[in-house]
Amino acid sequence: MRSICFLFLLTLTFGVCAQDNLLRETLSKYYELIGNKEVSEALDYVHPDLINMLGKETFEAQYHQLFNSPGIEVTMEGFATDSVSDVHEADGKKYYLVDYSFTMTFVVDVSDDDSGLLPGVLLSSYQSKFGKENVSSETPGTYVIAIQREMFAVESPAFEGWKILDFEEGMRMFLTGIIPEEVLKHFNR
C-alpha cells in the first residue's frame, strides 16, 4: 500500500513539474518573440478568444505602430517571470496568474527640439503614466522604464498548449468574457 501511495505522489509531482516546465517554456518563448519584435509569432501565444475579438491584424498594427513610429526607437528586454501562482481549475480549464517584468526603452530623436523642452516634457509624461520611480533618463531623449505586469496563463481542451492574457484593470470587460468571474475572484482580480 505504501508503494502505491508513493507512486501516486511521484506521478502527481512529475505531472505538476512537467506542466510547470511547459508553462515556463511558453512564457520564455513569448518573451523572446516580443523582445525580437516578432509580433505575429508572439500573438500565436495569446489566448485565441482575445485575438478573435479584435482580429490578429489589429494587434499586429498596434505593435507595428509602437515599434515603427518615426523618430522613436522602442526596445523591450530583460523579461523575467517574477512569480507563478498555484494552478486554479475551473470549467475544465487550468489557470495560473503570472507576475512578470521587463524593461522598455524609448529613444526619441530630440535633435529638432531647439527649445530643449521636449526631453523634460517626455520624462514627465512617462513618469506620470508608469510611475516616477519606474522611469529614468540618463541622456536627453532616452527613457528607460521598468514595467511590472500580470497575465493569466490558460490551458484548455479547446487549444494546444498554454495561452496567455495580459491583465489590466482597464481590459477587465474584455477579459470577463474569457476568464470566468470565479477565476478572477480566486486570484482577487
Side-chain angles (χ1 to χ4, degrees):
M1 184 67 163
R2 282 178 114 172
S3 61
I4 291 173
C5 288
F6 176 74
L7 285 174
F8 175 74
L9 287 174
L10 186 62
T11 303
L12 183 63
T13 302
F14 178 74
V16 169
C17 290
Q19 188 176 40
D20 188 53
N21 285 340
L22 287 174
L23 173 60
R24 289 187 183 276
E25 286 174 22
T26 297
L27 295 173
S28 183
K29 185 64 178 170
Y30 175 74
Y31 300 153
E32 178 186 341
L33 291 168
I34 290 293
N36 291 334
K37 301 178 183 179
E38 297 175 46
V39 174
S40 182
E41 294 83 357
L43 290 173
D44 291 338
Y45 289 86
V46 175
H47 197 292
D49 290 352
L50 182 63
I51 296 294
N52 293 336
M53 242 183 247
L54 300 174
K56 190 172 183 177
E57 303 78 27
T58 301
F59 289 101
E60 288 174 335
Q62 288 176 340
Y63 275 102
H64 179 76
Q65 183 178 359
L66 173 67
F67 289 135
N68 298 298
S69 294
I72 302 175
E73 181 185 329
V74 178
T75 58
M76 294 183 200
E77 58 194 5
F79 285 89
T81 299
D82 301 320
S83 68
V84 177
S85 71
D86 289 333
V87 68
H88 180 73
E89 295 189 40
D91 297 331
K93 300 172 188 165
K94 296 177 181 174
Y95 300 87
Y96 284 99
L97 185 63
V98 178
D99 291 322
Y100 72 104
S101 56
F102 61 97
T103 301
M104 183 183 303
T105 303
F106 290 89
V107 179
V108 180
D109 180 4
V110 293
S111 62
D112 290 340
D113 178 33
D114 295 331
S115 68
L117 297 175
L118 185 58
V121 169
L122 289 172
L123 178 61
S124 178
S125 174
Y126 291 137
Q127 288 176 336
S128 175
K129 182 174 182 170
F130 297 103
K132 191 172 187 172
E133 68 282 359
N134 296 320
V135 181
S136 63
S137 178
E138 293 183 16
T139 60
T142 300
Y143 308 92
V144 179
I145 304 166
I147 306 284
Q148 307 275 313
R149 302 287 305 261
E150 291 181 318
M151 70 169 82
F152 285 99
V154 183
E155 182 185 66
S156 169
F159 47 77
E160 188 176 319
W162 289 96
K163 300 297 180 185
I164 59 171
L165 285 162
D166 259 21
F167 178 77
E168 291 181 43
E169 196 58 45
M171 289 188 58
R172 187 178 186 78
M173 72 176 198
F174 291 110
L175 293 181
T176 55
I178 302 169
I179 305 289
E181 191 63 37
E182 169 199 336
V183 174
L184 293 172
K185 284 181 183 176
H186 173 80
F187 290 113
N188 298 316
R189 299 295 172 268

